Amino acid sequence: MLGGIAVYIISTFYWFSILKKFDLTKVYPLQSISYIVVLFFGYLMFKEPITKNTLVGTLIIVVGVFIITKQ
């Protein structure tokens, strides 16, 4: 429990330091990348199936993040 709290505190300070350097509208969509990471970790660690709908949804997220963050 304490380890989880410590990681949360560290990530909060890291997030604030990122927001000082970059625009929120550019950085916030990048959090959607976590959906992709979870998809692959779920497949590798828990042998969860990756369906066609999951892949299409993931592709939509990637394209959306790319469009938003592109300068």
Side-chain angles (χ1 to χ4, degrees):
M1 182 84 152
L2 291 176
I5 292 171
V7 169
Y8 180 76
I9 291 171
I10 291 168
S11 68
T12 300
F13 283 114
Y14 185 64
W15 178 245
F16 287 146
S17 69
I18 289 172
L19 289 178
K20 286 180 184 178
K21 296 178 183 177
F22 303 102
D23 292 335
L24 178 63
T25 56
K26 300 289 183 185
V27 176
Y28 196 73
L30 292 175
Q31 285 187 323
S32 299
I33 300 297
S34 67
Y35 296 124
I36 299 164
V37 172
V38 168
L39 171 74
F40 290 113
F41 274 118
Y43 174 75
L44 294 173
M45 295 176 66
F46 302 116
K47 306 298 183 217
E48 294 180 357
I50 298 177
T51 64
K52 185 168 66 170
N53 288 342
T54 306
L55 287 175
V56 170
T58 302
L59 182 62
I60 291 170
I61 291 171
V62 169
V63 169
V65 168
F66 178 76
I67 290 171
I68 291 173
T69 57
K70 188 177 176 188
Q71 301 230 1

Short mmCIF file of all heavy atoms in Angstrom, two decimals:
data_model
loop_
_atom_site.label_atom_id
_atom_site.label_comp_id
_atom_site.label_asym_id
_atom_site.label_seq_id
_atom_site.Cartn_x
_atom_site.Cartn_y
_atom_site.Cartn_z
N MET A 1 0.83 -1.18 0.00
CA MET A 1 0.00 0.00 0.00
C MET A 1 0.88 1.25 0.00
O MET A 1 0.63 2.18 -0.76
CB MET A 1 -0.89 -0.04 1.24
CG MET A 1 -1.81 1.09 1.33
SD MET A 1 -3.27 0.77 0.38
CE MET A 1 -4.43 1.74 1.24
N LEU A 2 1.89 1.26 0.83
CA LEU A 2 2.78 2.42 0.89
C LEU A 2 3.54 2.61 -0.41
O LEU A 2 3.78 3.74 -0.84
CB LEU A 2 3.76 2.29 2.06
CG LEU A 2 3.13 2.40 3.46
CD1 LEU A 2 4.20 2.15 4.52
CD2 LEU A 2 2.48 3.75 3.64
N GLY A 3 3.90 1.50 -1.04
CA GLY A 3 4.58 1.59 -2.33
C GLY A 3 3.69 2.23 -3.38
O GLY A 3 4.15 3.07 -4.17
N GLY A 4 2.42 1.87 -3.39
CA GLY A 4 1.48 2.45 -4.34
C GLY A 4 1.29 3.94 -4.10
O GLY A 4 1.22 4.73 -5.06
N ILE A 5 1.22 4.33 -2.85
CA ILE A 5 1.08 5.75 -2.50
C ILE A 5 2.33 6.51 -2.93
O ILE A 5 2.24 7.62 -3.47
CB ILE A 5 0.81 5.91 -1.00
CG1 ILE A 5 -0.58 5.35 -0.66
CG2 ILE A 5 0.90 7.38 -0.57
CD1 ILE A 5 -0.87 5.26 0.83
N ALA A 6 3.50 5.92 -2.72
CA ALA A 6 4.74 6.58 -3.10
C ALA A 6 4.81 6.77 -4.61
O ALA A 6 5.20 7.84 -5.09
CB ALA A 6 5.94 5.75 -2.61
N VAL A 7 4.43 5.75 -5.36
CA VAL A 7 4.44 5.87 -6.82
C VAL A 7 3.45 6.93 -7.27
O VAL A 7 3.74 7.72 -8.19
CB VAL A 7 4.12 4.50 -7.48
CG1 VAL A 7 3.86 4.64 -8.96
CG2 VAL A 7 5.24 3.52 -7.23
N TYR A 8 2.30 7.01 -6.64
CA TYR A 8 1.30 8.02 -6.99
C TYR A 8 1.83 9.43 -6.74
O TYR A 8 1.67 10.32 -7.56
CB TYR A 8 0.01 7.79 -6.20
CG TYR A 8 -1.05 8.80 -6.51
CD1 TYR A 8 -1.77 8.72 -7.70
CD2 TYR A 8 -1.33 9.84 -5.64
CE1 TYR A 8 -2.75 9.66 -8.00
CE2 TYR A 8 -2.29 10.78 -5.93
CZ TYR A 8 -3.01 10.68 -7.12
OH TYR A 8 -3.96 11.61 -7.41
N ILE A 9 2.49 9.63 -5.61
CA ILE A 9 3.05 10.94 -5.28
C ILE A 9 4.14 11.33 -6.29
O ILE A 9 4.17 12.46 -6.78
CB ILE A 9 3.59 10.95 -3.83
CG1 ILE A 9 2.42 10.87 -2.85
CG2 ILE A 9 4.43 12.20 -3.56
CD1 ILE A 9 2.83 10.65 -1.41
N ILE A 10 5.01 10.39 -6.59
CA ILE A 10 6.07 10.66 -7.56
C ILE A 10 5.48 11.01 -8.93
O ILE A 10 5.91 11.96 -9.58
CB ILE A 10 7.04 9.47 -7.65
CG1 ILE A 10 7.83 9.33 -6.36
CG2 ILE A 10 7.98 9.60 -8.85
CD1 ILE A 10 8.59 8.02 -6.24
N SER A 11 4.49 10.25 -9.35
CA SER A 11 3.89 10.51 -10.66
C SER A 11 3.17 11.85 -10.69
O SER A 11 3.15 12.52 -11.73
CB SER A 11 2.94 9.38 -11.06
OG SER A 11 1.79 9.36 -10.24
N THR A 12 2.59 12.26 -9.57
CA THR A 12 1.93 13.56 -9.51
C THR A 12 2.94 14.69 -9.68
O THR A 12 2.70 15.63 -10.45
CB THR A 12 1.17 13.72 -8.18
OG1 THR A 12 0.18 12.68 -8.08
CG2 THR A 12 0.50 15.07 -8.09
N PHE A 13 4.06 14.61 -9.00
CA PHE A 13 5.09 15.64 -9.16
C PHE A 13 5.67 15.63 -10.58
O PHE A 13 5.95 16.67 -11.15
CB PHE A 13 6.21 15.46 -8.13
CG PHE A 13 5.83 15.94 -6.76
CD1 PHE A 13 5.69 15.06 -5.71
CD2 PHE A 13 5.58 17.29 -6.53
CE1 PHE A 13 5.33 15.49 -4.45
CE2 PHE A 13 5.22 17.74 -5.27
CZ PHE A 13 5.09 16.84 -4.23
N TYR A 14 5.82 14.44 -11.15
CA TYR A 14 6.30 14.31 -12.52
C TYR A 14 5.31 14.96 -13.49
O TYR A 14 5.69 15.68 -14.41
CB TYR A 14 6.53 12.84 -12.85
CG TYR A 14 7.15 12.59 -14.19
CD1 TYR A 14 8.43 13.04 -14.48
CD2 TYR A 14 6.46 11.90 -15.18
CE1 TYR A 14 9.01 12.81 -15.72
CE2 TYR A 14 7.03 11.67 -16.42
CZ TYR A 14 8.30 12.13 -16.68
OH TYR A 14 8.86 11.91 -17.90
N TRP A 15 4.02 14.73 -13.27
CA TRP A 15 2.98 15.30 -14.10
C TRP A 15 3.01 16.83 -14.03
O TRP A 15 2.90 17.51 -15.05
CB TRP A 15 1.62 14.75 -13.67
CG TRP A 15 0.45 15.30 -14.42
CD1 TRP A 15 -0.54 16.07 -13.90
CD2 TRP A 15 0.15 15.14 -15.80
NE1 TRP A 15 -1.45 16.38 -14.88
CE2 TRP A 15 -1.05 15.83 -16.06
CE3 TRP A 15 0.77 14.49 -16.85
CZ2 TRP A 15 -1.62 15.88 -17.32
CZ3 TRP A 15 0.19 14.54 -18.10
CH2 TRP A 15 -0.99 15.23 -18.32
N PHE A 16 3.17 17.38 -12.84
CA PHE A 16 3.24 18.83 -12.69
C PHE A 16 4.46 19.41 -13.40
O PHE A 16 4.40 20.48 -14.00
CB PHE A 16 3.26 19.25 -11.22
CG PHE A 16 1.92 19.09 -10.54
CD1 PHE A 16 1.85 18.71 -9.21
CD2 PHE A 16 0.73 19.32 -11.22
CE1 PHE A 16 0.62 18.57 -8.58
CE2 PHE A 16 -0.50 19.18 -10.60
CZ PHE A 16 -0.55 18.80 -9.28
N SER A 17 5.58 18.72 -13.35
CA SER A 17 6.77 19.21 -14.03
C SER A 17 6.59 19.17 -15.55
O SER A 17 7.08 20.05 -16.26
CB SER A 17 8.01 18.41 -13.62
OG SER A 17 7.95 17.09 -14.11
N ILE A 18 5.87 18.18 -16.04
CA ILE A 18 5.58 18.12 -17.48
C ILE A 18 4.67 19.28 -17.87
O ILE A 18 4.87 19.93 -18.90
CB ILE A 18 4.94 16.77 -17.84
CG1 ILE A 18 5.97 15.66 -17.75
CG2 ILE A 18 4.33 16.81 -19.25
CD1 ILE A 18 5.39 14.27 -17.90
N LEU A 19 3.67 19.56 -17.05
CA LEU A 19 2.73 20.64 -17.36
C LEU A 19 3.40 22.02 -17.33
O LEU A 19 2.93 22.95 -17.99
CB LEU A 19 1.54 20.62 -16.40
CG LEU A 19 0.58 19.46 -16.60
CD1 LEU A 19 -0.52 19.52 -15.56
CD2 LEU A 19 0.01 19.45 -18.00
N LYS A 20 4.48 22.16 -16.57
CA LYS A 20 5.21 23.43 -16.57
C LYS A 20 5.92 23.66 -17.90
O LYS A 20 6.12 24.80 -18.31
CB LYS A 20 6.25 23.45 -15.45
CG LYS A 20 5.65 23.61 -14.07
CD LYS A 20 6.75 23.63 -13.03
CE LYS A 20 6.19 23.70 -11.63
NZ LYS A 20 7.23 23.67 -10.61
N LYS A 21 6.28 22.59 -18.58
CA LYS A 21 7.08 22.70 -19.81
C LYS A 21 6.23 22.66 -21.08
O LYS A 21 6.63 23.20 -22.10
CB LYS A 21 8.10 21.56 -19.86
CG LYS A 21 9.12 21.63 -18.77
CD LYS A 21 10.07 20.46 -18.84
CE LYS A 21 11.04 20.50 -17.68
NZ LYS A 21 11.94 19.36 -17.66
N PHE A 22 5.07 21.99 -21.04
CA PHE A 22 4.29 21.77 -22.26
C PHE A 22 2.84 22.19 -22.04
O PHE A 22 2.37 22.27 -20.91
CB PHE A 22 4.34 20.29 -22.66
CG PHE A 22 5.72 19.77 -22.88
CD1 PHE A 22 6.34 18.99 -21.91
CD2 PHE A 22 6.42 20.05 -24.04
CE1 PHE A 22 7.62 18.50 -22.10
CE2 PHE A 22 7.70 19.56 -24.24
CZ PHE A 22 8.30 18.79 -23.26
N ASP A 23 2.12 22.39 -23.15
CA ASP A 23 0.71 22.73 -23.08
C ASP A 23 -0.12 21.52 -22.69
O ASP A 23 0.14 20.41 -23.16
CB ASP A 23 0.21 23.23 -24.45
CG ASP A 23 0.82 24.55 -24.84
OD1 ASP A 23 1.22 25.31 -23.94
OD2 ASP A 23 0.87 24.82 -26.06
N LEU A 24 -1.14 21.76 -21.88
CA LEU A 24 -2.02 20.68 -21.44
C LEU A 24 -2.71 20.03 -22.64
O LEU A 24 -2.88 18.81 -22.67
CB LEU A 24 -3.06 21.22 -20.46
CG LEU A 24 -4.10 20.23 -19.95
CD1 LEU A 24 -3.44 19.13 -19.16
CD2 LEU A 24 -5.15 20.93 -19.12
N THR A 25 -3.09 20.82 -23.62
CA THR A 25 -3.80 20.28 -24.78
C THR A 25 -2.93 19.35 -25.61
O THR A 25 -3.46 18.55 -26.39
CB THR A 25 -4.33 21.41 -25.68
OG1 THR A 25 -3.24 22.25 -26.07
CG2 THR A 25 -5.38 22.23 -24.97
N LYS A 26 -1.63 19.44 -25.48
CA LYS A 26 -0.72 18.54 -26.19
C LYS A 26 -0.35 17.32 -25.35
O LYS A 26 -0.18 16.22 -25.87
CB LYS A 26 0.57 19.27 -26.58
CG LYS A 26 0.36 20.45 -27.47
CD LYS A 26 -0.05 20.03 -28.84
CE LYS A 26 -0.19 21.27 -29.72
NZ LYS A 26 -0.68 20.95 -31.03
N VAL A 27 -0.23 17.51 -24.04
CA VAL A 27 0.26 16.44 -23.17
C VAL A 27 -0.86 15.49 -22.75
O VAL A 27 -0.66 14.28 -22.71
CB VAL A 27 0.94 17.05 -21.93
CG1 VAL A 27 1.36 15.98 -20.96
CG2 VAL A 27 2.14 17.88 -22.33
N TYR A 28 -2.02 16.01 -22.45
CA TYR A 28 -3.09 15.18 -21.90
C TYR A 28 -3.50 14.04 -22.84
O TYR A 28 -3.71 12.92 -22.36
CB TYR A 28 -4.29 16.05 -21.54
CG TYR A 28 -5.26 15.35 -20.64
CD1 TYR A 28 -4.95 15.13 -19.30
CD2 TYR A 28 -6.47 14.88 -21.11
CE1 TYR A 28 -5.83 14.47 -18.46
CE2 TYR A 28 -7.36 14.23 -20.28
CZ TYR A 28 -7.03 14.03 -18.96
OH TYR A 28 -7.90 13.38 -18.13
N PRO A 29 -3.61 14.26 -24.15
CA PRO A 29 -3.96 13.13 -25.02
C PRO A 29 -2.94 12.00 -24.98
O PRO A 29 -3.29 10.85 -25.25
CB PRO A 29 -4.02 13.75 -26.41
CG PRO A 29 -4.30 15.17 -26.17
CD PRO A 29 -3.60 15.52 -24.90
N LEU A 30 -1.71 12.30 -24.63
CA LEU A 30 -0.70 11.24 -24.57
C LEU A 30 -0.98 10.23 -23.46
O LEU A 30 -0.45 9.11 -23.48
CB LEU A 30 0.69 11.85 -24.40
CG LEU A 30 1.19 12.63 -25.62
CD1 LEU A 30 2.52 13.31 -25.30
CD2 LEU A 30 1.32 11.75 -26.83
N GLN A 31 -1.82 10.60 -22.50
CA GLN A 31 -2.19 9.64 -21.47
C GLN A 31 -3.00 8.49 -22.05
O GLN A 31 -3.07 7.42 -21.46
CB GLN A 31 -2.99 10.32 -20.35
CG GLN A 31 -2.16 11.16 -19.44
CD GLN A 31 -2.97 11.65 -18.26
OE1 GLN A 31 -4.13 11.98 -18.38
NE2 GLN A 31 -2.34 11.70 -17.12
N SER A 32 -3.59 8.71 -23.20
CA SER A 32 -4.34 7.64 -23.86
C SER A 32 -3.44 6.50 -24.29
O SER A 32 -3.92 5.40 -24.56
CB SER A 32 -5.08 8.20 -25.07
OG SER A 32 -5.99 9.19 -24.68
N ILE A 33 -2.16 6.76 -24.37
CA ILE A 33 -1.21 5.71 -24.72
C ILE A 33 -1.26 4.59 -23.67
O ILE A 33 -0.97 3.43 -23.96
CB ILE A 33 0.21 6.30 -24.86
CG1 ILE A 33 0.24 7.36 -25.95
CG2 ILE A 33 1.24 5.23 -25.13
CD1 ILE A 33 -0.07 6.86 -27.35
N SER A 34 -1.65 4.91 -22.45
CA SER A 34 -1.74 3.88 -21.41
C SER A 34 -2.72 2.78 -21.79
O SER A 34 -2.54 1.62 -21.42
CB SER A 34 -2.13 4.50 -20.07
OG SER A 34 -3.45 5.01 -20.13
N TYR A 35 -3.78 3.10 -22.56
CA TYR A 35 -4.71 2.08 -23.01
C TYR A 35 -4.00 1.05 -23.88
O TYR A 35 -4.28 -0.15 -23.81
CB TYR A 35 -5.86 2.70 -23.80
CG TYR A 35 -6.73 3.62 -23.00
CD1 TYR A 35 -6.94 4.92 -23.40
CD2 TYR A 35 -7.36 3.18 -21.84
CE1 TYR A 35 -7.74 5.78 -22.67
CE2 TYR A 35 -8.16 4.02 -21.09
CZ TYR A 35 -8.36 5.32 -21.52
OH TYR A 35 -9.14 6.16 -20.80
N ILE A 36 -3.08 1.52 -24.68
CA ILE A 36 -2.35 0.63 -25.57
C ILE A 36 -1.40 -0.25 -24.77
O ILE A 36 -1.28 -1.45 -25.01
CB ILE A 36 -1.60 1.45 -26.64
CG1 ILE A 36 -2.62 2.23 -27.46
CG2 ILE A 36 -0.72 0.57 -27.51
CD1 ILE A 36 -2.04 3.35 -28.27
N VAL A 37 -0.72 0.36 -23.81
CA VAL A 37 0.20 -0.40 -22.96
C VAL A 37 -0.55 -1.49 -22.19
O VAL A 37 -0.11 -2.63 -22.12
CB VAL A 37 0.94 0.55 -21.99
CG1 VAL A 37 1.76 -0.21 -20.98
CG2 VAL A 37 1.81 1.53 -22.77
N VAL A 38 -1.71 -1.14 -21.65
CA VAL A 38 -2.51 -2.11 -20.91
C VAL A 38 -2.99 -3.23 -21.82
O VAL A 38 -3.02 -4.39 -21.42
CB VAL A 38 -3.71 -1.40 -20.22
CG1 VAL A 38 -4.71 -2.41 -19.69
CG2 VAL A 38 -3.22 -0.50 -19.11
N LEU A 39 -3.34 -2.90 -23.06
CA LEU A 39 -3.76 -3.91 -24.02
C LEU A 39 -2.68 -4.97 -24.20
O LEU A 39 -2.94 -6.17 -24.11
CB LEU A 39 -4.09 -3.25 -25.36
CG LEU A 39 -4.34 -4.20 -26.53
CD1 LEU A 39 -5.69 -4.88 -26.38
CD2 LEU A 39 -4.25 -3.46 -27.83
N PHE A 40 -1.45 -4.53 -24.41
CA PHE A 40 -0.37 -5.48 -24.66
C PHE A 40 0.07 -6.22 -23.39
O PHE A 40 0.37 -7.40 -23.44
CB PHE A 40 0.81 -4.79 -25.35
CG PHE A 40 0.49 -4.41 -26.76
CD1 PHE A 40 0.40 -3.10 -27.14
CD2 PHE A 40 0.26 -5.39 -27.72
CE1 PHE A 40 0.09 -2.74 -28.44
CE2 PHE A 40 -0.06 -5.06 -29.02
CZ PHE A 40 -0.14 -3.73 -29.38
N PHE A 41 0.08 -5.52 -22.25
CA PHE A 41 0.42 -6.22 -21.00
C PHE A 41 -0.65 -7.24 -20.64
O PHE A 41 -0.35 -8.32 -20.14
CB PHE A 41 0.63 -5.24 -19.85
CG PHE A 41 2.03 -4.70 -19.78
CD1 PHE A 41 2.27 -3.35 -19.93
CD2 PHE A 41 3.10 -5.53 -19.56
CE1 PHE A 41 3.55 -2.84 -19.87
CE2 PHE A 41 4.39 -5.04 -19.50
CZ PHE A 41 4.61 -3.69 -19.65
N GLY A 42 -1.91 -6.91 -20.89
CA GLY A 42 -2.98 -7.87 -20.65
C GLY A 42 -2.83 -9.11 -21.51
O GLY A 42 -3.07 -10.23 -21.06
N TYR A 43 -2.41 -8.89 -22.74
CA TYR A 43 -2.20 -10.03 -23.64
C TYR A 43 -0.99 -10.86 -23.20
O TYR A 43 -1.07 -12.10 -23.14
CB TYR A 43 -2.00 -9.53 -25.07
CG TYR A 43 -1.64 -10.60 -26.05
CD1 TYR A 43 -2.60 -11.50 -26.49
CD2 TYR A 43 -0.34 -10.75 -26.52
CE1 TYR A 43 -2.27 -12.51 -27.39
CE2 TYR A 43 -0.01 -11.75 -27.41
CZ TYR A 43 -0.98 -12.62 -27.84
OH TYR A 43 -0.64 -13.62 -28.72
N LEU A 44 0.11 -10.19 -22.88
CA LEU A 44 1.34 -10.92 -22.54
C LEU A 44 1.28 -11.56 -21.17
O LEU A 44 1.73 -12.70 -20.99
CB LEU A 44 2.54 -9.97 -22.62
CG LEU A 44 2.88 -9.43 -24.00
CD1 LEU A 44 3.98 -8.39 -23.91
CD2 LEU A 44 3.28 -10.56 -24.93
N MET A 45 0.74 -10.85 -20.19
CA MET A 45 0.77 -11.35 -18.81
C MET A 45 -0.42 -12.24 -18.46
O MET A 45 -0.27 -13.22 -17.73
CB MET A 45 0.84 -10.18 -17.83
CG MET A 45 2.13 -9.39 -17.93
SD MET A 45 2.17 -7.94 -16.86
CE MET A 45 2.15 -8.70 -15.26
N PHE A 46 -1.60 -11.89 -18.97
CA PHE A 46 -2.81 -12.60 -18.56
C PHE A 46 -3.45 -13.41 -19.70
O PHE A 46 -4.53 -13.96 -19.54
CB PHE A 46 -3.82 -11.62 -17.99
CG PHE A 46 -3.30 -10.85 -16.81
CD1 PHE A 46 -3.15 -9.48 -16.89
CD2 PHE A 46 -2.94 -11.49 -15.64
CE1 PHE A 46 -2.66 -8.76 -15.81
CE2 PHE A 46 -2.45 -10.78 -14.56
CZ PHE A 46 -2.30 -9.41 -14.65
N LYS A 47 -2.78 -13.41 -20.85
CA LYS A 47 -3.26 -14.16 -22.01
C LYS A 47 -4.68 -13.74 -22.41
O LYS A 47 -5.48 -14.57 -22.86
CB LYS A 47 -3.22 -15.67 -21.75
CG LYS A 47 -1.88 -16.19 -21.31
CD LYS A 47 -0.82 -15.98 -22.37
CE LYS A 47 0.49 -16.60 -21.91
NZ LYS A 47 1.63 -15.84 -22.29
N GLU A 48 -5.00 -12.45 -22.23
CA GLU A 48 -6.30 -11.94 -22.65
C GLU A 48 -6.32 -11.84 -24.17
O GLU A 48 -5.35 -11.44 -24.79
CB GLU A 48 -6.56 -10.57 -22.04
CG GLU A 48 -6.71 -10.60 -20.54
CD GLU A 48 -6.98 -9.24 -19.94
OE1 GLU A 48 -7.01 -8.23 -20.67
OE2 GLU A 48 -7.16 -9.17 -18.72
N PRO A 49 -7.43 -12.22 -24.77
CA PRO A 49 -7.49 -12.17 -26.24
C PRO A 49 -7.56 -10.73 -26.75
O PRO A 49 -8.13 -9.85 -26.10
CB PRO A 49 -8.79 -12.92 -26.56
CG PRO A 49 -9.62 -12.77 -25.33
CD PRO A 49 -8.65 -12.72 -24.18
N ILE A 50 -6.95 -10.53 -27.90
CA ILE A 50 -7.04 -9.23 -28.58
C ILE A 50 -7.96 -9.44 -29.78
O ILE A 50 -7.61 -10.15 -30.72
CB ILE A 50 -5.66 -8.72 -29.02
CG1 ILE A 50 -4.77 -8.51 -27.80
CG2 ILE A 50 -5.80 -7.44 -29.81
CD1 ILE A 50 -3.36 -8.07 -28.13
N THR A 51 -9.13 -8.83 -29.70
CA THR A 51 -10.12 -9.00 -30.76
C THR A 51 -9.94 -7.94 -31.84
O THR A 51 -9.19 -6.99 -31.68
CB THR A 51 -11.54 -8.90 -30.18
OG1 THR A 51 -11.74 -7.58 -29.67
CG2 THR A 51 -11.75 -9.93 -29.07
N LYS A 52 -10.67 -8.14 -32.92
CA LYS A 52 -10.63 -7.18 -34.02
C LYS A 52 -11.14 -5.82 -33.54
O LYS A 52 -10.56 -4.79 -33.88
CB LYS A 52 -11.46 -7.69 -35.19
CG LYS A 52 -11.37 -6.80 -36.42
CD LYS A 52 -11.95 -7.44 -37.66
CE LYS A 52 -13.43 -7.64 -37.55
NZ LYS A 52 -14.07 -8.03 -38.82
N ASN A 53 -12.20 -5.82 -32.75
CA ASN A 53 -12.74 -4.56 -32.22
C ASN A 53 -11.73 -3.84 -31.33
O ASN A 53 -11.62 -2.62 -31.36
CB ASN A 53 -14.03 -4.79 -31.45
CG ASN A 53 -15.19 -5.13 -32.34
OD1 ASN A 53 -15.15 -4.89 -33.54
ND2 ASN A 53 -16.22 -5.72 -31.76
N THR A 54 -10.99 -4.61 -30.55
CA THR A 54 -9.97 -4.03 -29.69
C THR A 54 -8.87 -3.38 -30.52
O THR A 54 -8.41 -2.28 -30.22
CB THR A 54 -9.36 -5.10 -28.76
OG1 THR A 54 -10.40 -5.74 -28.05
CG2 THR A 54 -8.38 -4.49 -27.79
N LEU A 55 -8.46 -4.06 -31.56
CA LEU A 55 -7.42 -3.50 -32.43
C LEU A 55 -7.91 -2.24 -33.15
O LEU A 55 -7.16 -1.26 -33.26
CB LEU A 55 -6.96 -4.54 -33.45
CG LEU A 55 -6.09 -5.66 -32.90
CD1 LEU A 55 -5.79 -6.70 -33.99
CD2 LEU A 55 -4.81 -5.12 -32.31
N VAL A 56 -9.14 -2.25 -33.61
CA VAL A 56 -9.69 -1.07 -34.28
C VAL A 56 -9.76 0.10 -33.30
O VAL A 56 -9.39 1.23 -33.62
CB VAL A 56 -11.08 -1.37 -34.90
CG1 VAL A 56 -11.76 -0.10 -35.37
CG2 VAL A 56 -10.94 -2.36 -36.03
N GLY A 57 -10.24 -0.16 -32.09
CA GLY A 57 -10.31 0.89 -31.07
C GLY A 57 -8.94 1.44 -30.73
O GLY A 57 -8.76 2.66 -30.57
N THR A 58 -7.96 0.56 -30.62
CA THR A 58 -6.59 0.98 -30.33
C THR A 58 -6.04 1.83 -31.46
O THR A 58 -5.40 2.86 -31.23
CB THR A 58 -5.70 -0.24 -30.10
OG1 THR A 58 -6.23 -1.01 -29.03
CG2 THR A 58 -4.29 0.17 -29.76
N LEU A 59 -6.32 1.44 -32.68
CA LEU A 59 -5.87 2.21 -33.84
C LEU A 59 -6.51 3.60 -33.85
O LEU A 59 -5.85 4.60 -34.14
CB LEU A 59 -6.19 1.47 -35.13
CG LEU A 59 -5.74 2.14 -36.42
CD1 LEU A 59 -4.23 2.29 -36.44
CD2 LEU A 59 -6.21 1.35 -37.62
N ILE A 60 -7.77 3.68 -33.49
CA ILE A 60 -8.45 4.97 -33.42
C ILE A 60 -7.80 5.87 -32.37
O ILE A 60 -7.59 7.06 -32.60
CB ILE A 60 -9.96 4.79 -33.14
CG1 ILE A 60 -10.63 4.17 -34.36
CG2 ILE A 60 -10.62 6.11 -32.76
CD1 ILE A 60 -12.06 3.72 -34.11
N ILE A 61 -7.44 5.29 -31.23
CA ILE A 61 -6.76 6.06 -30.19
C ILE A 61 -5.42 6.57 -30.69
O ILE A 61 -5.08 7.75 -30.51
CB ILE A 61 -6.57 5.20 -28.91
CG1 ILE A 61 -7.91 4.95 -28.25
CG2 ILE A 61 -5.61 5.89 -27.93
CD1 ILE A 61 -7.86 3.95 -27.11
N VAL A 62 -4.65 5.71 -31.34
CA VAL A 62 -3.34 6.11 -31.85
C VAL A 62 -3.47 7.23 -32.87
O VAL A 62 -2.73 8.23 -32.82
CB VAL A 62 -2.59 4.90 -32.45
CG1 VAL A 62 -1.35 5.33 -33.21
CG2 VAL A 62 -2.23 3.90 -31.37
N VAL A 63 -4.40 7.09 -33.78
CA VAL A 63 -4.60 8.12 -34.81
C VAL A 63 -5.04 9.43 -34.16
O VAL A 63 -4.55 10.51 -34.50
CB VAL A 63 -5.60 7.65 -35.88
CG1 VAL A 63 -6.02 8.79 -36.78
CG2 VAL A 63 -5.03 6.51 -36.68
N GLY A 64 -5.94 9.35 -33.20
CA GLY A 64 -6.41 10.55 -32.51
C GLY A 64 -5.29 11.26 -31.76
O GLY A 64 -5.17 12.49 -31.83
N VAL A 65 -4.47 10.51 -31.06
CA VAL A 65 -3.33 11.10 -30.34
C VAL A 65 -2.37 11.74 -31.33
O VAL A 65 -1.87 12.85 -31.11
CB VAL A 65 -2.61 10.05 -29.46
CG1 VAL A 65 -1.29 10.57 -28.94
CG2 VAL A 65 -3.50 9.63 -28.31
N PHE A 66 -2.11 11.08 -32.43
CA PHE A 66 -1.22 11.61 -33.45
C PHE A 66 -1.76 12.92 -34.01
O PHE A 66 -1.02 13.91 -34.16
CB PHE A 66 -1.01 10.59 -34.57
CG PHE A 66 -0.13 11.11 -35.67
CD1 PHE A 66 1.24 11.19 -35.50
CD2 PHE A 66 -0.67 11.50 -36.88
CE1 PHE A 66 2.06 11.67 -36.52
CE2 PHE A 66 0.13 11.97 -37.91
CZ PHE A 66 1.49 12.06 -37.71
N ILE A 67 -3.04 12.97 -34.32
CA ILE A 67 -3.64 14.18 -34.89
C ILE A 67 -3.60 15.33 -33.89
O ILE A 67 -3.26 16.46 -34.25
CB ILE A 67 -5.10 13.89 -35.33
CG1 ILE A 67 -5.09 12.98 -36.55
CG2 ILE A 67 -5.84 15.19 -35.63
CD1 ILE A 67 -6.46 12.47 -36.93
N ILE A 68 -3.90 15.06 -32.65
CA ILE A 68 -3.94 16.12 -31.63
C ILE A 68 -2.55 16.66 -31.33
O ILE A 68 -2.35 17.86 -31.18
CB ILE A 68 -4.62 15.63 -30.35
CG1 ILE A 68 -6.11 15.42 -30.61
CG2 ILE A 68 -4.42 16.60 -29.20
CD1 ILE A 68 -6.84 14.79 -29.47
N THR A 69 -1.56 15.79 -31.25
CA THR A 69 -0.23 16.22 -30.84
C THR A 69 0.63 16.71 -32.01
O THR A 69 1.68 17.29 -31.79
CB THR A 69 0.52 15.11 -30.10
OG1 THR A 69 0.60 13.95 -30.94
CG2 THR A 69 -0.16 14.77 -28.80
N LYS A 70 0.17 16.48 -33.22
CA LYS A 70 0.94 16.92 -34.39
C LYS A 70 0.95 18.45 -34.44
O LYS A 70 -0.06 19.09 -34.25
CB LYS A 70 0.34 16.35 -35.66
CG LYS A 70 1.17 16.61 -36.88
CD LYS A 70 0.54 15.96 -38.09
CE LYS A 70 1.36 16.32 -39.31
NZ LYS A 70 0.70 15.88 -40.52
N GLN A 71 2.09 19.01 -34.74
CA GLN A 71 2.19 20.47 -34.77
C GLN A 71 2.01 21.03 -36.13
O GLN A 71 2.38 20.76 -37.12
CB GLN A 71 3.53 20.88 -34.20
CG GLN A 71 3.67 20.37 -32.81
CD GLN A 71 4.11 21.46 -31.87
OE1 GLN A 71 4.30 22.59 -32.26
NE2 GLN A 71 4.26 21.10 -30.63
#
